[in-house]
Amino acid sequence: MAFMKKLPLLLLALFLTACQQDTAETQSKETPPTPTPTDFIEELWYKNSLVYSVDVEVFKDSNKDGVGDFRGLTNQLGYLKKLGVETIWLAPFQPTPNRDDGYDIADFYSVDSRLGTDQDFDTFMKQASQQGMRVIMDLVTNHTSDQHPWFQQARKRADSPYRSWYVWSKERPKKWDKGMVFPGVQKQVWSFDKQAGDYFYHRFYDFQPDLNMQNPAVQREMRKIIRHWLDKGVAGFRVDAVPFLIEIATPDFDPENPEHQFDIITQLHQYIQWHKRDAILLGEANVAPDEQKPYFGKDGQNMQTMFNFFANQHLFYALATGETKLLRKALEDTKDIPPTAQWAHFLRNHDEIDLGRLSDSERRKVYDRMGADTTMQLYDRGIRRRLAPMLGDPRLVEMAYSLLFSLPGMPVIRYGEEIGMGDDLSLKERLSIRTPMQWSGGLNGGFSEAAKPVRPVISRGPYRYPVVNVAAQQADSTSLLNQITRFAHLRKQCPEIGWGKWKLLDTGSEHVLAIQYSWKGKSLVMVHNFSSEPQQCQLTTGLKSGSSLVSLTTNKTSRAGANGVYQVPLAGYGYSWYRLQRD
Ligand code: GLC
């Protein structure tokens, strides 16, 4: 009876559920599901792109004046293409007094006349694009050169509209000697300007006054600069000194603990994409993992990509000691980024290797192995050497490049590293690793036919140009250049690295790093031995038995044992790239 009483209610409930289902079905027919980032990840070019960092001034001189130029670079596009380069990153090339290798800009809108004309730049852009390469450039708007007309006007008159484009203080700020980026060389961050009669703020050298990013006029100008170069075809910017660009600098702020204004990056991101949908920001921000989140932004609304300085320092620790534990941790600590974001990994860049985030004893171990002499060290935190002389053993250099191409991110190579160039420690600070490109055994290493090149070409020691040069390495199938070219091309067949999910695998050896990538049912396993001794490692990939690891380099296959474990033998500093195949 009770059931009979409830019947009308039950019928009503059934009717309502049917109606709901009906509406849901009609809705799903009419409204397509909202796309998730994984639906379009393959379209994000920066997920998988080989970036080549070049300094036009020292790459190739075409007019025999001793200075590299855009015409010289344009003539070498075929070389870059063959190497497998997909994106060229240009170091600052605008007019400059050149006291910080071009990072002291005196005019943001043109090309330094020593490097060529605006037309030469346009021709370079056109030809790079015809060869299918993108170009990104440095965006150095944290500061200007003190020779920039804005600063010249600002210091001349207190009522100049440019005065508020910089950061001033009437009194010497309390923390005038705190927070220097170049300790040991730079003495302060606030300097007195006689002409202005005030102190000005400079996070870097005293000839690089910081722009006042709090001033809307400065932000407007920054957008204008961006627009100018986007219109000329660049695909994005390597944003210089991001944490300093967005710090809120005032006379009483604490340079060692500044506040940051992240919406400046959000606006930049929006502005760039409004003009060019797939343009990117690649941030230089050497921050700790617990600080990284706002740099990428919620849902990736800030930087699309950043250099992984944190992993880099632990990578050097692993290369120096043969132990992978801290590198594994650093990779895990920096794993959590938005799905549309990407890390950029590198071995060497144009600056010193910054080891500032290692403990003193860890840093000491890297120094002992790679830069024991104090002339090799810089700014109390790093090493001013190129990779090949630092690592010494060619097997280790090759393994390091194999690793670079198989880390989760986009690989960035510094010019000259692909042939294992050396350094010149007689040059000051970071100039030691900024010597001219060594193209051949000819005059000035084929860089320039001038009597005196802009910077001396390395002509003594084991890395001298008659020994280390492009022509010789092109002719030798076992050379580093050819090996790196093979890595670059192999990487193009492994898009899982940029698009997929990754995890570290247990290897049974503290010297071996193994990363597994998975993307749409495909899987890769990359294994690297950081020890000079052979290692027998055991890999568990998490798949049931019935699969094989097929080497992408040798085509050899290894099958899992009944327990699902693969036995992978590795030579000293050996490495292997495998694809996992289900039988
Ligand atoms: C960045 C550059 C460095 C330069 C500095 C000041 O850190 O990488 O080379 O000296 O900014 O612009």
Side-chain angles (χ1 to χ4, degrees):
M1 282 307 284
F3 170 74
M4 287 302 281
K5 264 193 204 159
K6 281 189 184 155
L7 193 60
L9 271 181
L10 266 173
L11 285 175
L12 181 66
L14 277 173
F15 173 73
L16 285 177
T17 322
C19 288
Q20 266 173 5
Q21 271 172 2
D22 199 36
T23 346
E25 267 164 34
T26 348
Q27 259 182 4
S28 76
K29 264 180 219 144
E30 281 166 7
T31 355
T34 319
T36 64
T38 36
D39 292 331
F40 58 83
I41 267 176
E42 291 168 41
E43 290 170 43
L44 305 178
W45 63 267
Y46 55 87
K47 284 273 179 182
N48 263 321
S49 190
L50 169 56
V51 182
Y52 188 87
S53 131
V54 63
D55 183 352
V56 179
E57 185 184 40
V58 284
F59 198 58
K60 180 80 182 160
D61 171 20
S62 75
N63 62 354
K64 306 184 186 178
D65 66 352
V67 183
D69 45 47
F70 272 103
R71 285 185 184 207
L73 171 59
T74 308
N75 292 339
Q76 298 304 327
L77 283 171
Y79 166 77
L80 298 182
K81 182 78 190 166
K82 210 159 155 215
L83 179 58
V85 171
E86 289 153 315
T87 303
I88 300 167
W89 156 27
L90 296 175
F93 53 81
Q94 292 110 319
T96 172
N98 221 6
R99 295 178 67 192
D100 182 16
D101 204 19
Y103 281 89
D104 45 333
I105 294 179
D107 169 9
F108 287 94
Y109 296 96
S110 60
V111 173
D112 190 300
S113 58
R114 298 171 320 130
L115 310 183
T117 61
D118 287 5
Q119 285 81 353
D120 292 341
F121 178 83
D122 293 341
T123 308
F124 159 71
M125 291 300 294
K126 201 161 147 208
Q127 295 204 14
S129 156
Q130 277 166 358
Q131 302 229 28
M133 286 181 273
R134 290 186 162 85
V135 177
I136 62 172
M137 61 180 279
D138 253 279
L139 180 70
V140 192
T141 49
N142 172 67
H143 47 263
T144 67
S145 155
D146 60 1
Q147 299 308 303
H148 196 295
W150 301 337
F151 190 69
Q152 289 299 322
Q153 300 206 30
R155 69 178 1 167
K156 219 183 275 164
R157 287 191 357 239
D159 62 353
S160 158
Y162 290 105
R163 186 74 158 205
S164 60
W165 282 39
Y166 295 88
V167 186
W168 302 96
S169 175
K170 288 255 154 276
E171 310 296 326
R172 186 165 84 177
K174 257 206 239 113
K175 308 226 163 174
W176 61 280
D177 60 350
K178 298 276 178 283
M180 282 80 72
V181 178
F182 304 129
V185 176
Q186 183 193 354
K187 303 265 178 300
Q188 58 217 36
V189 295
W190 288 94
S191 291
F192 186 69
D193 186 64
K194 270 199 207 131
Q195 218 178 336
D198 282 343
Y199 289 84
F200 69 97
Y201 174 64
H202 54 91
R203 183 55 93 156
F204 295 91
Y205 298 110
D206 59 5
F207 52 82
Q208 288 168 320
D210 272 44
L211 282 164
N212 175 12
M213 283 308 291
Q214 303 309 304
N215 182 339
V218 173
Q219 292 191 17
R220 240 189 332 270
E221 189 72 27
M222 188 167 168
R223 291 197 291 270
K224 220 173 114 194
I225 295 167
I226 286 171
R227 174 82 192 263
H228 176 84
W229 295 106
L230 283 177
D231 284 351
K232 284 193 167 280
V234 302
F237 301 90
R238 177 260 187 197
V239 189
D240 191 55
V242 183
F244 307 126
L245 178 74
I246 60 170
E247 71 186 359
I248 303 177
T250 57
D252 52 5
F253 93 119
D254 178 359
E256 289 178 314
N257 195 14
E259 241 183 85
H260 294 112
Q261 203 185 335
F262 287 98
D263 57 3
I264 293 180
I265 314 178
T266 317
Q267 282 161 20
L268 268 189
H269 180 124
Q270 285 168 350
Y271 186 76
I272 280 175
Q273 298 215 321
W274 188 57
H275 282 285
K276 194 171 198 177
R277 301 231 38 99
D278 66 347
I280 61 155
L281 300 172
L282 162 57
E284 184 211 17
N286 181 350
V287 293
D290 60 358
E291 297 168 317
Q292 90 199 8
K293 238 191 189 127
Y295 285 88
F296 286 114
K298 193 172 163 290
D299 303 325
Q301 69 190 1
N302 290 347
M303 302 279 171
Q304 285 90 343
T305 163
M306 295 213 295
F307 290 101
N308 195 334
F309 284 98
F310 191 73
N312 183 265
Q313 349 206 329
H314 292 91
L315 169 58
F316 273 94
Y317 181 81
L319 291 169
T321 61
E323 290 160 21
T324 63
K325 194 169 153 212
L326 293 183
L327 173 59
R328 292 166 63 95
K329 184 169 180 322
L331 290 171
E332 293 286 5
D333 286 351
T334 52
K335 190 173 189 178
D336 183 19
I337 60 174
T340 53
Q342 183 63 301
W343 284 116
H345 286 287
F346 59 102
L347 289 166
R348 288 302 292 109
N349 64 11
H350 60 293
D351 290 328
E352 81 287 359
I353 298 167
D354 189 336
L355 303 168
R357 295 192 181 276
L358 299 183
S359 70
D360 289 349
S361 70
E362 289 158 4
R363 189 166 42 254
R364 174 59 39 218
K365 285 186 194 166
V366 186
Y367 280 164
D368 288 349
R369 167 71 174 79
M370 301 183 185
D373 197 304
T374 49
T375 61
M376 298 170 174
Q377 299 163 13
L378 194 60
Y379 310 140
D380 305 332
R381 62 167 177 247
I383 304 182
R384 55 184 203 113
R385 303 189 72 194
R386 287 264 196 181
L387 191 76
M390 232 173 357
L391 299 189
D393 189 329
R395 293 175 308 160
L396 184 54
V397 176
E398 184 174 319
M399 188 281 272
Y401 274 98
S402 166
L403 182 76
L404 174 69
F405 280 95
S406 53
L407 283 174
M410 133 175 113
V412 184
I413 296 189
R414 168 89 174 139
Y415 84 88
E417 288 291 318
E418 74 275 26
I419 54 169
M421 266 172 58
D423 36 59
D424 180 347
L425 294 168
S426 71
L427 299 177
K428 84 172 204 285
E429 293 178 64
R430 294 155 294 161
L431 292 183
S432 53
I433 49 162
R434 298 173 178 179
T435 59
M437 179 70 174
Q438 296 170 197
W439 293 102
S440 71
L443 179 67
N444 295 323
F447 160 66
S448 169
E449 288 175 35
K452 194 169 178 292
V454 60
R455 225 166 271 152
V457 187
I458 292 180
S459 54
R460 280 195 304 264
Y463 300 91
R464 63 190 183 278
Y465 68 81
V467 178
V468 176
N469 66 65
V470 171
Q473 295 204 16
Q474 277 171 334
D476 172 4
S477 65
T478 65
S479 67
L480 183 63
L481 175 63
N482 278 315
Q483 191 51 53
I484 289 185
T485 307
R486 283 192 285 273
F487 288 144
H489 290 273
L490 195 58
R491 164 76 192 246
K492 292 187 213 301
Q493 297 164 33
C494 302
E496 293 98 321
I497 301 178
W499 296 337
K501 291 208 166 0
W502 62 270
K503 64 176 182 188
L504 298 176
L505 302 180
D506 276 339
T507 65
S509 164
E510 58 176 1
H511 304 298
V512 179
L513 181 82
I515 311 181
Q516 179 177 6
Y517 291 94
S518 309
W519 172 249
K520 294 196 172 164
K522 285 177 135 198
S523 194
L524 285 169
V525 178
M526 325 294 270
V527 197
H528 291 85
N529 177 13
F530 284 71
S531 160
S532 58
E533 296 299 317
Q535 302 290 313
Q536 178 66 38
C537 75
Q538 283 120 34
L539 291 180
T540 321
T541 64
L543 283 183
K544 300 264 173 315
S545 55
S547 331
S548 324
L549 287 178
V550 181
S551 163
L552 294 177
T553 38
T554 63
N555 255 342
K556 279 198 187 136
T557 300
S558 95
R559 290 185 55 82
N563 52 0
V565 176
Y566 296 84
Q567 300 292 335
V568 176
L570 287 165
Y573 298 136
Y575 59 87
S576 276
W577 296 28
Y578 293 109
R579 179 151 271 132
L580 200 64
Q581 251 171 30
R582 278 165 225 199
D583 301 337

